[in-house]
């Protein structure tokens, strides 16, 4: 029997492996995951009665998950109970103002009018354009492997590229419609984690605003790890052999094809490989230099999305003033942005995000306790240390306590920090990044690292360093697109 090896058990790897096994029953599909559980950045851990999702915490684009499950005659409800959050999230500003984003669109229009007269009309105009981008972007662009510019040479697609403002920036589009600084920051927020300043992020990504405002912010009861459990079940039911605690150390090439995959204490032949782990690591470490698609210079010149300081806190009391999702925009955005992109340093007064899933889900914390996840965006490639983490955490906790009017420090019964060194050790993450490549215009679509190796005929890639980009829904799509490319080539 012929064999396919998938490297990496994150969202892209699980999705790709499942589709390969389903479509190609004559192949044995093995998924090798270096960590002890699948999930990649979406893993979960438990301690002291607290259940922490380690990475992604925003459930957006529910239609993309549903569509993928439907490919296997499953639905979201087969794996978890989705709850729409209301408010979707809240934002803390410098002047003490707290803005809550209602799930109801009519209420949201009223909120916008409160801050800027006439802005409700402009919001409808902005979201109509964002909806169009979502439908075209998700329906047309992101499902292409982006191996060549000629995939986009179709006259209709070129016309659509201009209609969705692929070549302009989102900051300009927002500021042409709104003048209130708080509304502007609110609408620019979804692109902050795409890894570039809004004035360098293509206007295409206002589709994220449509996903946020119209499709809604959801939560799978039990935690985001329910997505991983669902995808793992689909993979196993499709016949994928999942090997956890199995790190791939070498890809042995004969001629222009991989013939053998070498792991710790094991090796096996492979007729094709899908690299769904860190692209840079697979390309530069697992392959000999002559077989690599990209040079060290190429990688060093890539603009990376941020890394992060993540802090998992278990508290022995409930904290008033927090909702499920909380954005602390009570500091200078331009300064923090500069500390990430222009002069990379550990930030002094950063913007940050706090997730408190125990506000929605009692199962993730003990009775009367609170589960708190804090994320501070950082520049990739910084020197990481325990002292730096703790210094930044103190800044963040001071601001939280000031805004909430209550103590947090005195009620911490569990603490774990996670940052650049952990991203490197757990995921071989290039420069310790948390989100992959920055989604700038020059790193969009066919300008990203290619899904197919330039040197090796049977090596393919999926995940956040290739098409379509970072995030759980894009990673799911990436695994699917890469698998369909392999199926086409291998059949």
């Amino acid at each position: 029997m012929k064999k396919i090896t998938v490297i990496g058990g994150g969202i892209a790897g699980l999705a790709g492996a499942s589709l390969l096994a389903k479509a190609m029953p004559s192949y044995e599909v093995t998924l090798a995951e270096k960590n002890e559980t699948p999930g990649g950045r979406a893993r979960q851990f438990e301690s002291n009665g607290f259940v922490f999702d380690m990475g992604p915490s925003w459930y957006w684009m529910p239609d993309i998950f549903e569509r993928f499950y439907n490919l296997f005659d499953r639905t979201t409800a087969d794996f978890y109970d989705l709850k729409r959050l209301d408010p979707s999230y809240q934002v803390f500003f410098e002047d003490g103002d707290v803005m809550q984003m209602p799930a109801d669109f009519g209420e949201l229009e009223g909120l916008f009018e409160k801050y800027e007269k006439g802005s409700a009309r402009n919001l409808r105009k902005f979201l109509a354009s964002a909806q169009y981008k979502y439908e075209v972007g998700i329906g047309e662009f992101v499902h292409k492997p982006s191996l060549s510019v000629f995939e986009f040479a179709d006259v209709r697609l070129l016309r659509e590229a201009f209609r969705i403002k692929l070549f302009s920036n989102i900051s300009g589009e927002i500021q042409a419609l709104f003048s209130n600084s708080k509304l502007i920051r609110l609408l620019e927020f979804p692109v902050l984690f795409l890894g570039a300043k809004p004035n360098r992020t293509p206007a295409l990504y206002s589709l994220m605003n449509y996903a946020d405002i119209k499709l809604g912010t959801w939560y799978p009861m039990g935690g985001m790890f329910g997505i991983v459990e669902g995808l793992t079940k689909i993979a196993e039911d499709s016949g994928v052999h999942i090997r956890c605690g199995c790190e791939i150390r070498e890809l042995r090439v004969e001629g222009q094809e991989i013939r053998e995959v070498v792991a710790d204490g094991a090796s096996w032949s492979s007729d094709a490989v899908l690299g769904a782990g860190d692209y840079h690591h697979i390309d530069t470490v697992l392959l000999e230099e002559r077989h690599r698609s990209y040079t060290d210079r190429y990688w060093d010149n890539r603009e990376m999305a941020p890394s992060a300081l993540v802090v998992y806190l278990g508290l022995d009391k409930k904290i008033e003033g927090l909702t499920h999702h909380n954005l602390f925009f009570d500091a200078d955005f331009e300064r923090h942005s500069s500390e990430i992109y222009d002069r990379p340093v550990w930030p002094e007064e950063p913007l940050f995000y706090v997730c408190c899933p125990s506000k929605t889900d009692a199962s993730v914390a003990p009775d009367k306790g609170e589960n708190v996840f804090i994320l501070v965006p950082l520049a990739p490639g910084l020197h990481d240390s325990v002292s730096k983490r703790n210094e930044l955490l103190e800044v963040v906790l001071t601001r939280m306590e000031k805004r909430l009017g209550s103590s947090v420090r005195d009620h911490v019964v569990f603490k774990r920090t996670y940052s650049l060194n952990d991203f490197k050790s757990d995921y071989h993450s290039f420069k310790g990044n948390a989100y992959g490549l920055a989604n700038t215009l020059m790193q969009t679509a066919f300008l990203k690292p290619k899904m197919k190796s330039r040197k090796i005929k049977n090596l393919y890639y999926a995940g956040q360093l290739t098409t379509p980009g970072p995030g759980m829904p894009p990673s799911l799509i990436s695994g699917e697109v890469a698998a369909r490319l392999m199926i086409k080539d291998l059949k």
Side-chain angles (χ1 to χ4, degrees):
M1 177 178 272
K2 290 186 176 181
K3 298 179 180 180
I4 295 174
T5 301
V6 178
I7 302 173
I11 303 299
L14 288 167
S18 299
L19 283 164
L20 287 166
K22 180 176 185 288
M24 307 184 74
S26 62
Y27 281 76
E28 179 183 282
V29 179
T30 297
L31 186 153
E33 166 56 46
K34 74 179 286 290
N35 295 306
E36 295 304 317
T37 59
R41 286 164 169 78
R43 290 180 298 153
Q44 189 179 75
F45 75 92
E46 300 182 28
S47 184
N48 294 46
F50 298 93
V51 181
F52 293 99
D53 286 315
M54 293 186 68
S57 59
W58 293 79
Y59 195 106
W60 277 351
M61 307 182 184
D63 55 313
I64 291 178
F65 293 99
E66 187 67 30
R67 176 186 170 277
F68 185 83
Y69 298 150
N70 290 168
L71 297 175
F72 299 87
D73 299 319
R74 305 290 181 85
T75 69
T76 300
D78 291 332
F79 304 116
Y80 42 81
D81 177 26
L82 269 185
K83 180 176 180 179
R84 184 164 184 178
L85 302 182
D86 189 12
S88 299
Y89 50 91
Q90 68 180 0
V91 186
F92 293 81
F93 290 103
E94 298 99 320
D95 61 4
D97 188 19
V98 181
M99 183 188 293
Q100 292 195 341
M101 287 286 286
D104 180 80
F105 185 65
E107 291 181 28
L108 181 63
E109 287 184 309
L111 177 68
F112 268 61
E113 284 293 315
K114 173 185 170 184
Y115 284 88
E116 182 179 330
K117 189 172 179 59
S119 61
R121 180 183 65 252
N122 284 340
L123 178 63
R124 289 191 294 272
K125 179 180 178 181
F126 176 70
L127 289 177
S129 172
Q131 179 177 358
Y132 182 77
K133 292 173 191 176
Y134 186 88
E135 291 169 350
V136 172
I138 300 299
E140 298 278 0
F141 286 93
V142 301
H143 284 92
K144 291 185 174 294
S146 297
L147 298 177
S148 165
V149 67
F150 294 108
E151 291 175 34
F152 303 87
D154 178 271
V155 172
R156 182 182 58 83
L157 278 182
L158 287 173
R159 185 172 62 246
E160 299 294 3
F162 282 99
R163 284 192 67 185
I164 64 177
K165 301 181 180 177
L166 182 61
F167 305 107
S168 59
N169 71 73
I170 193 169
S171 182
E173 182 178 17
I174 292 172
Q175 292 183 29
L177 293 171
F178 304 94
S179 59
N180 181 275
S181 61
K182 292 179 181 177
L183 296 184
I184 290 171
R185 290 175 73 176
L186 192 70
L187 292 172
E188 288 182 345
F189 138 68
V191 306
L192 288 177
F193 298 106
L194 291 172
K197 292 181 178 181
N199 63 5
R200 299 193 62 239
T201 300
L204 164 67
Y205 290 105
S206 67
L207 64 85
M208 299 290 289
N209 296 103
Y210 173 73
D212 165 17
I213 295 171
K214 285 290 193 175
L215 300 182
T217 300
W218 302 76
Y219 174 77
M221 297 300 286
M224 298 290 285
F225 191 66
I227 300 165
V228 175
E229 292 176 320
L231 293 176
T232 300
K233 174 68 172 167
I234 287 174
E236 291 173 338
D237 289 350
S238 299
V240 177
H241 300 277
I242 299 177
R243 299 178 60 166
C244 291
C246 178
E247 180 163 4
I248 304 303
R249 298 294 184 178
E250 183 184 357
L251 297 174
R252 291 181 178 165
V253 178
E254 293 180 12
Q256 291 183 297
E257 294 189 348
I258 294 170
R259 294 300 183 193
E260 187 176 25
V261 174
V262 181
D264 289 327
S267 64
W268 58 88
S269 62
S270 192
D271 298 281
V273 172
L274 173 57
D278 185 86
Y279 196 133
H280 170 265
H281 177 77
I282 295 169
D283 189 44
T284 63
V285 176
L286 303 190
L287 293 170
E288 293 181 20
E289 186 172 357
R290 61 197 173 102
H291 298 310
R292 297 172 188 171
S293 292
Y294 301 100
T295 64
D296 290 339
R297 181 180 178 184
Y298 170 89
W299 286 111
D300 287 340
N301 287 334
R302 294 312 90 194
E303 186 171 347
M304 305 307 298
S307 185
L309 169 64
V310 180
V311 184
Y312 311 98
L313 296 179
L315 308 181
D316 65 4
K317 76 162 187 176
K318 294 294 182 182
I319 300 293
E320 297 300 322
L322 289 178
T323 58
H324 191 117
H325 295 301
N326 309 268
L327 301 165
F328 285 77
F329 286 1
D330 56 332
D332 186 341
F333 168 75
E334 290 301 327
R335 177 179 177 179
H336 187 195
S337 181
S338 178
E339 290 168 334
I340 295 174
Y341 300 110
D342 302 328
R343 49 180 189 87
V345 293
W346 282 77
E348 293 186 22
E349 286 290 344
L351 283 67
F352 61 95
Y353 158 65
V354 176
C355 181
C356 190
S358 48
K359 294 297 184 186
T360 304
D361 186 352
S363 72
V364 300
D367 289 344
K368 299 181 181 178
E370 207 83 279
N371 179 315
V372 176
F373 168 105
I374 301 171
L375 184 147
V376 186
L378 300 175
L382 295 177
H383 174 70
D384 186 12
S385 69
V386 172
S387 62
K388 284 292 187 183
R389 296 183 188 192
N390 288 335
E391 286 174 17
L392 189 54
L393 177 58
E394 286 301 305
V395 170
V396 166
L397 290 178
T398 297
R399 291 242 305 278
M400 277 184 68
E401 292 177 337
K402 177 183 177 182
R403 298 299 174 190
L404 298 174
S406 62
S407 171
V408 175
R409 289 180 181 85
D410 295 342
H411 296 276
V412 174
V413 293
F414 174 82
K415 183 185 84 170
R416 176 182 175 184
T417 64
Y418 195 98
S419 197
L420 293 101
N421 290 345
D422 301 298
F423 284 109
K424 292 176 184 176
S425 63
D426 284 356
Y427 313 120
H428 294 304
S429 176
F430 181 48
K431 295 185 178 179
N433 82 84
Y435 300 103
L437 287 176
N439 272 336
T440 61
L441 180 59
M442 297 308 295
Q443 293 182 162
T444 292
F446 54 86
L447 298 174
K448 290 181 182 289
K450 297 293 186 286
M451 274 192 162
K452 191 170 183 179
S453 169
R454 292 177 165 183
K455 301 286 185 69
I456 309 299
K457 292 181 179 179
N458 60 347
L459 174 59
Y460 303 77
Y461 291 95
Q464 63 179 15
L465 289 180
T466 185
T467 307
M472 294 187 82
S475 292
L476 198 67
I477 292 170
S478 183
E480 178 183 347
V481 174
R484 295 198 186 286
L485 181 61
M486 293 177 71
I487 292 163
K488 179 183 175 182
D489 288 352
L490 296 175
K491 276 192 170 180

